[in-house]
Amino acid sequence: MARRKKKHVPEMIPEEETAGSSSAAEAEPSVDEPAAGGKSGKKTMTVAEELEEERLRRIAEEMTANVGEVSRTPTWYLALMFGFMVIGLLWLITFYITETVYPVPGIGYWNIGIGVGLMMIGLIMTTRWR
């Protein structure tokens, strides 16, 4: 079985750290500057690698863009959503514990459909939860 070579993934340093510290930039040679020995300390990036790094940076920014943001879903919606799921579950539990007599005695096994239907309404509501 052939082994794959590991790709070199450059470290991503936040802009705040690189902008404020001039001593760190002086201590470490940049990608384009050669080191004292005449050879570059780091490999220069190809266009494909730069594009990949930019794509990954955009993805990381999108993932962290709304960290700490307050939920946009109203409280009443969450209460209603969880309420449907809990009421449906309690409907089914009541139906099985009372040996098919309650919650609505006249409809028999349609009580299962009502309980599952209530839970499905709550489940469908979760798709709008932000």
Side-chain angles (χ1 to χ4, degrees), residues 1-20:
M1 188 151 84
R3 293 185 128 186
R4 293 184 189 178
K5 287 185 179 180
K6 290 186 179 181
K7 284 187 174 181
H8 172 70
V9 180
E11 288 186 3
M12 292 180 30
I13 301 172
E15 292 180 33
E16 298 84 35
E17 291 180 16
T18 58

Side-chain angles (χ1 to χ4, degrees), residues 64-114:
T64 58
N66 51 357
V67 172
E69 185 177 300
V70 179
S71 175
R72 292 178 281 164
T73 306
T75 306
W76 65 265
Y77 188 87
L78 295 174
L80 192 63
M81 177 182 72
F82 288 118
F84 274 123
M85 288 189 276
V86 169
I87 289 170
L89 181 64
L90 291 175
W91 193 286
L92 290 174
I93 290 172
T94 303
F95 178 72
Y96 281 114
I97 287 177
T98 61
E99 297 177 1
T100 69
V101 175
Y102 292 106
V104 180
I107 61 172
Y109 286 100
W110 281 102
N111 281 306
I112 295 173
I114 293 171

